[in-house]
Amino acid sequence: MNSKNEIFENNVPVSSSNELQEKPEEMVATVDTGARNLRSWAGWTLASVSLAWSLFQLWIASPLPYMLADFIPLLNSTHTRSAHLGFAMFLSFVAFPALKRSPRTQVPMQDWIFGLTGTACALYIAVFSDQLALRPGLPITPDLIISGIGLVFLLEATRRALGLPMMCVAIVFLSYVFFGEYAPDIIAWQGASFQKAMSHMWLTQEGVFGIGLGVSTGFIFLFVLFGALLEKAGAGNYFTKVAFALLGHYRGGPAKAAVVSSGMNGMISGSSIANVVITGTFTIPLMKKVGFSNEKAGAVEVAASTNGQLMPPIMGAAAFLMIEYVGISYLEVIKHAFLPAVISYIALVYIVHLEAMKADLKGLMPRKVTTVLQKIVTFLMVLIGLIILSGVIYFGFGWIKSVAGEASPWIAGILILTVYVVLIRYSIRFPDLEIDDRSIELTVLPETGPTVKSGLHYLLPVVVLIWCLMVERFSPGLAAFWAIMIMLFILTTQRPLKVFFRKSGDLEKEFINGLRNLVDGLIFGARNMIGIGVATATAGIIVGTVTLTGIGLVMTEFVEFISGGNLMLMLLFTAFICLVLGMGLPTTANYIVVSTLMAPVIVTLGAQNGLIVPLIAVHMFVFYFGILADDTPPVGLAAFAASAIAQSDPIKTGIQGFTYDIRTGILPFLFIFNTELLMIGIESWWHLLLTIISAVMAMLLFAAATQGYFFVKSRWWETVALLLLSFTLFRPGFWWEMVYPSSQIVQPTQIVQMVEQLPTNTDLRLHVEGENIEGELVSKMVVLQMGEQASGKERLEKVGLELRTEKKRVFVDMVAFDSLAQKAGIDFDWEILSMQVPTDRPAKQWMYLPAFFLLGSIIFLQRRRLPEKIE
């Protein structure tokens, strides 16, 4: 017999509404912030340490340490990384219970001891940094003891904060360090002593305290804190309101609004599960209200929320790791990530539209009905206004800097403060629409204009962040610091200012509430970082294993062996590894692990197959498939969170969400072969515009093909034709290469003459072969960029190559140190088998013409069947 407050719907047990709302929140707490809900002194301690962590991170990111260097010693990376890990480990033991049956309202004494011990081991590196620097590679007994204890407690903190899979992966790699000689022959190595392993993993910056933890300390924390403060200020609710006001009245409007609001929240959130709960508790019931099934309502939110990690500027924290691993700037990472993320979201909106068309669903009732012409005029006015405002800001600040000099930051601060006050004063004309109340019954949509205008001040810190990054060229950490400073000011003052301008309400009470929100935001941001801080440290064990054992080189041989040297099979194998690891690892850790192991493999094997893959494309590839694991059954946690809200089966919800995300799954394969999707090789504005339009159209056609519905239900051959069209628009060079090869093979004896004729900054592709340092034969394709015009011999010398000819065979006689040739992996006495010279051929975009003709034919045939559909 079921209890009175429990029913069964579609064979799925459903609890009372209050319990349903608690389930996803508990999942977020368990995964992101810690499952314990503490009171009294334990809760105060947890909050105080979290607050101290946020303040510490703001301190080291600010200019103050440099201004006060005469009074307070500067902290180097060793000090900041160890303190960062110390905070994360302490909070892991206090916020996360050891077992499911462990108490949630109190902290056992052993957890306090474990937390303090783990923190002490982390801080040991900072406290004794000078002594450790005097004995590199020669640790004494206390060093080894502390390192061993630190690794054990880090693994336990990982198990609590991230679950068993991440800890098991780390233990497997540690086991390989010690017992590599017992591994299969293809990956075996001699093994390391305890002294060597501990020194490498804990006492240097090659392991736990390596790049991952450094990026977490310098960049990731600040951007996660920025997102937490925005959410605490109400920006998440504002984005959701705007999305519903703009899209709620269309077919399947709540689902389209869910996609857009999840995308906007994804820009400031690093967690797909938190994104599901923030937007899903409001959007999923409304999707069900207009006719979406439980599974589809949950699946739309899952697909939208997991894709939120693709959206710059945070990208699930991976953007900042790519800076270090790829060696490019933050702005370049955002540039490469922008187009795939946007077209993926546009396609998801279209999928929702097709689902609504198939089921003949309607939208919610708008408060005011507007004509198409009014909408177009409004859109154009907003667009023109934004362009004018952007111009005024850009050239106005440029003029201020040229006139005011060093006083310009103070003037800019006063202007920002003035704009903020004006926007707050303007916002009081419109009611504060609170839609975060989950019991709300939304029957009529809010008006678009008032909704947008009620929270324009939330965009101010985002504008400052973008300005600091793109115009001032600040580091990501410093840019985030100034954006956070504005957010702290907004959190403290927005409520009192509204009371002041409205001349109603308790000013003192609202000011206290603002301070409370500020403190809560700082605490919430730190608790959001516990898992990421521990994950980046634990991922350092995997990275340290790779650098210590050289397994990265072995992985190339292993993957080449199981894929038979086939590039597509190798990419499929890599995608499968990302999905499997992602089922148990958070996105950040998954990215670190797979990019460390597999990114060099793809680059190396791609070169051997004649495909030069940019490193950023490889890292984006593994990152995308790591994200998709969040909705991949049977472990997709985002699907479980959504199903708790939608009252649906979590496995069915995950499978449906994964079918929606197939469009995201094909993108990595496409931008490996067509890097223009990552905005690499774009030569002009027209080229960029054509790339964007063709990519959006291709993704929409692919979505229509996978849904089996375009204007009407597609016939099988129409589905095949849509897939063919999508592939052609995504990768026109595949067909064009059959008619007009992009390069011609030239015999190596002509290399000097051909290099002399190459235009400035043209890529020279060489097929080289020779023995590496291990005595193994290597055959691969390398790319060298030729510089300014000169003689062939001089241009080759500038890239570091001196050649010799023996019986019509060309060999490398000399490779200059630190030259482009050496960086490409060319060595002495290697033979140049051939060279590829670009051909002068028509643009591959001509393939769009027959594609558009075929598309027109399909549209014509489907529209002829449209009246039958209506009848």
Side-chain angles (χ1 to χ4, degrees):
M1 179 70 77
N2 300 329
S3 60
K4 292 182 180 180
N5 65 345
E6 187 176 76
I7 61 173
F8 277 79
E9 182 176 318
N10 297 329
N11 298 320
V12 178
V14 180
S15 301
S16 64
S17 59
N18 290 335
E19 291 174 342
L20 282 171
Q21 292 170 4
E22 291 172 359
K23 284 182 180 178
E25 290 176 346
E26 289 175 2
M27 185 175 292
V28 173
T30 302
V31 175
D32 286 343
T33 60
R36 280 185 173 138
N37 186 15
L38 303 176
R39 297 286 185 266
S40 68
W41 67 273
W44 182 88
T45 302
L46 176 61
S48 299
V49 174
S50 300
L51 178 62
W53 192 10
S54 289
L55 294 177
F56 168 77
Q57 294 288 159
L58 289 174
W59 168 261
I60 63 176
S62 72
L64 289 176
Y66 300 95
M67 297 168 61
L68 302 175
D70 293 336
F71 308 99
I72 302 175
L74 283 171
L75 300 177
N76 59 31
S77 62
T78 300
H79 300 128
T80 57
R81 292 180 190 186
S82 62
H84 184 84
L85 180 57
F87 278 114
M89 289 182 69
F90 179 82
L91 293 173
S92 296
F93 287 105
V94 175
F96 292 88
L99 302 169
K100 287 185 177 180
R101 63 176 181 270
S102 300
R104 302 297 178 96
T105 57
Q106 61 181 358
V107 183
M109 180 56 66
Q110 66 266 24
D111 283 358
W112 292 110
I113 296 172
F114 290 167
L116 291 173
T117 304
T119 302
C121 292
L123 293 178
Y124 180 85
I125 311 301
V127 174
F128 297 98
S129 59
D130 293 338
Q131 294 90 321
L132 290 170
L134 296 175
R135 50 176 187 268
L138 298 172
I140 58 177
T141 302
D143 297 342
L144 297 177
I145 293 173
I146 292 295
S147 300
I149 295 173
L151 275 177
V152 170
F153 278 92
L154 175 60
L155 290 172
E156 171 59 12
T158 301
R159 185 191 67 81
R160 294 189 182 207
L162 304 171
L164 201 59
M166 181 70 181
M167 185 192 75
C168 291
V169 171
I171 289 176
V172 167
F173 276 83
L174 273 177
S175 301
Y176 179 72
V177 169
F178 293 112
F179 309 110
E181 59 184 318
Y182 302 109
D185 290 342
I186 193 171
I187 61 171
W189 87 299
Q190 73 270 22
S193 65
F194 183 79
Q195 175 180 327
K196 184 176 182 180
M198 292 303 101
S199 177
H200 191 84
M201 292 294 181
W202 197 266
L203 301 178
T204 69
Q205 293 191 353
E206 295 290 332
V208 171
F209 296 93
I211 291 176
L213 191 64
V215 173
S216 179
T217 305
F219 303 145
I220 297 176
F221 189 103
L222 294 171
F223 278 83
V224 170
L225 179 60
F226 178 64
L229 293 172
L230 269 174
E231 177 61 35
K232 203 68 182 178
N237 290 331
Y238 172 69
F239 291 152
T240 307
K241 287 191 292 184
V242 170
F244 268 85
L246 290 171
L247 301 171
H249 59 284
Y250 291 108
R251 281 182 178 270
K256 294 174 181 175
V259 174
V260 174
S261 61
S262 292
M264 290 190 290
N265 277 293
M267 295 173 65
I268 62 174
S269 171
S271 169
S272 56
I273 302 166
N275 201 340
V276 165
V277 174
I278 290 170
T279 60
T281 47
F282 180 69
T283 60
I284 289 176
L286 289 174
M287 281 189 267
K288 292 167 61 177
K289 180 178 179 179
V290 298
F292 280 86
S293 67
N294 292 3
E295 279 76 19
K296 288 187 176 180
V300 168
E301 185 58 51
V302 168
S305 296
T306 52
N307 280 194
Q309 294 187 75
L310 305 177
M311 290 296 293
I314 295 181
M315 295 171 57
F320 313 105
L321 292 163
M322 288 182 189
I323 296 172
E324 300 295 330
Y325 287 140
V326 183
I328 60 178
S329 70
Y330 178 67
L331 290 178
E332 288 180 286
V333 172
I334 291 178
K335 181 187 79 172
H336 298 316
F338 180 75
L339 181 57
V342 169
I343 64 176
S344 184
Y345 262 105
I346 291 174
L348 185 55
V349 172
Y350 185 57
I351 287 173
V352 167
H353 177 73
L354 293 177
E355 289 281 16
M357 291 284 289
K358 286 190 285 186
D360 195 25
L361 304 180
K362 306 299 180 185
L364 295 173
M365 182 65 66
R367 192 178 297 271
K368 182 191 295 185
V369 179
T370 56
T371 65
V372 175
L373 181 61
Q374 288 175 320
K375 292 177 181 177
I376 293 174
V377 171
T378 303
F379 174 77
L380 290 176
M381 289 179 63
V382 171
L383 182 63
I384 293 170
L386 287 174
I387 292 173
I388 293 173
L389 181 62
S390 300
V392 170
I393 292 173
Y394 183 83
F395 293 106
F397 270 99
W399 178 79
I400 290 173
K401 288 180 68 175
S402 62
V403 172
E406 294 183 359
S408 57
W410 297 100
I411 298 174
I414 294 172
L415 288 175
I416 291 171
L417 177 62
T418 303
V419 171
Y420 167 66
V421 173
V422 170
L423 290 177
I424 289 289
R425 177 69 180 84
Y426 184 61
S427 70
I428 66 169
R429 302 180 183 181
F430 314 102
D432 295 327
L433 301 175
E434 299 294 340
I435 65 167
D436 55 328
D437 182 1
R438 296 167 193 160
S439 64
I440 191 170
E441 184 69 22
L442 185 62
T443 55
V444 180
L445 290 173
E447 290 186 55
T448 303
T451 304
V452 172
K453 296 170 185 175
S454 65
L456 289 174
H457 59 283
Y458 292 129
L459 303 178
L460 195 58
V462 179
V463 170
V464 170
L465 176 66
I466 295 172
W467 175 271
C468 290
L469 285 170
M470 301 189 69
V471 180
E472 299 293 340
R473 299 284 178 170
F474 289 167
S475 68
L478 186 58
F481 169 78
W482 289 116
I484 288 172
M485 289 298 101
I486 294 176
M487 271 311 310
L488 295 177
F489 184 76
I490 290 175
L491 267 169
T492 308
T493 60
Q494 64 173 343
R495 289 173 177 268
L497 281 176
K498 286 185 177 182
V499 169
F500 175 77
F501 287 128
R502 284 173 176 159
K503 295 181 171 43
S504 64
D506 191 332
L507 186 63
E508 182 180 352
K509 179 183 177 182
E510 292 301 332
F511 180 72
I512 294 174
N513 286 336
L515 290 176
R516 186 177 291 115
N517 283 338
L518 183 150
V519 173
D520 288 345
L522 292 172
I523 294 171
F524 184 63
R527 293 191 65 171
N528 277 344
M529 269 300 300
I530 298 173
I532 297 177
V534 173
T536 52
T538 307
I541 296 175
I542 289 93
V543 177
T545 301
V546 173
T547 56
L548 178 62
T549 65
I551 192 177
L553 299 174
V554 177
M555 281 298 296
T556 303
E557 299 176 7
F558 178 68
V559 174
E560 184 177 17
F561 171 75
I562 64 172
S563 65
N566 185 287
L567 183 61
M568 185 56 69
L569 286 178
M570 181 262 295
L571 291 173
L572 288 170
F573 177 73
T574 303
F576 177 75
I577 290 177
C578 295
L579 287 175
V580 171
L581 286 175
M583 291 182 189
L585 273 61
T587 304
T588 308
N590 186 11
Y591 167 71
I592 294 173
V593 172
V594 183
S595 63
T596 302
L597 286 175
M598 301 304 299
V601 176
I602 297 177
V603 173
T604 302
L605 294 184
Q608 292 179 9
N609 283 267
L611 178 67
I612 307 302
V613 185
L615 195 55
I616 182 64
V618 178
H619 281 257
M620 291 288 289
F621 181 93
V622 298
F623 172 59
Y624 263 57
F625 280 101
I627 285 175
L628 288 178
D630 273 350
D631 62 3
T632 305
V635 192
L637 295 179
F640 277 83
S643 65
I645 303 169
Q647 304 175 28
S648 62
D649 182 275
I651 301 299
K652 291 181 180 179
T653 302
I655 292 173
Q656 185 68 54
F658 189 75
T659 61
Y660 290 154
D661 266 341
I662 292 175
R663 77 201 190 287
T664 306
I666 68 161
L667 275 174
F669 289 97
L670 292 167
F671 57 58
I672 285 286
F673 294 97
N674 181 12
T675 54
E676 289 179 359
L677 294 174
L678 300 178
M679 291 196 245
I680 297 173
I682 301 296
E683 299 172 354
S684 64
W685 282 104
W686 288 109
H687 190 184
L688 174 62
L689 186 62
L690 187 61
T691 300
I692 293 173
I693 293 173
S694 62
V696 171
M697 288 185 62
M699 186 56 82
L700 295 180
L701 293 174
F702 181 81
T706 55
Q707 291 298 305
Y709 196 98
F710 195 19
F711 287 91
V712 294
K713 186 177 180 180
S714 298
R715 293 167 178 163
W716 70 268
W717 62 268
E718 290 174 333
T719 298
V720 173
L722 289 172
L723 288 172
L724 182 65
L725 283 169
S726 176
F727 178 76
T728 301
L729 292 175
F730 268 130
R731 197 184 167 199
F734 179 83
W735 309 109
W736 208 235
E737 191 75 20
M738 298 179 182
V739 182
Y740 298 101
S742 59
S743 60
Q744 61 177 343
I745 305 297
V746 177
Q747 293 303 314
T749 52
Q750 304 176 35
I751 184 171
V752 177
Q753 295 90 334
M754 295 302 299
V755 166
E756 186 171 343
Q757 298 173 17
L758 289 178
T760 302
N761 295 329
T762 301
D763 287 340
L764 171 66
R765 292 172 177 257
L766 298 177
H767 186 191
V768 296
E769 185 178 84
E771 289 188 356
N772 60 16
I773 194 170
E774 287 85 16
E776 299 169 340
L777 184 66
V778 175
S779 179
K780 64 179 181 179
M781 190 73 67
V782 298
V783 176
L784 302 173
Q785 188 179 66
M786 297 293 101
E788 299 295 330
Q789 289 287 350
S791 69
K793 185 178 180 181
E794 289 174 342
R795 297 182 83 176
L796 288 171
E797 288 176 350
K798 286 182 180 179
V799 297
L801 281 180
E802 291 185 21
L803 309 177
R804 72 176 188 274
T805 303
E806 297 179 1
K807 297 180 181 180
K808 295 186 178 181
R809 297 173 66 185
V810 178
F811 295 90
V812 177
D813 195 41
M814 178 69 72
V815 179
F817 176 74
D818 201 33
S819 63
L820 291 177
Q822 187 190 54
K823 292 176 180 178
I826 302 175
D827 210 341
F828 300 99
D829 287 328
W830 280 28
E831 183 179 1
I832 297 178
L833 300 178
S834 65
M835 62 179 292
Q836 292 182 4
V837 179
T839 57
D840 187 12
R841 64 172 186 169
K844 61 184 178 182
Q845 283 77 13
W846 284 106
M847 277 302 304
Y848 293 159
L849 292 181
F852 289 145
F853 177 77
L854 179 58
L855 176 61
S857 302
I858 296 174
I859 293 173
F860 174 74
L861 292 173
Q862 289 219 349
R863 289 190 67 85
R864 285 184 62 184
R865 304 203 303 271
L866 195 58
E868 300 175 10
K869 175 78 175 175
I870 294 174
E871 291 175 1

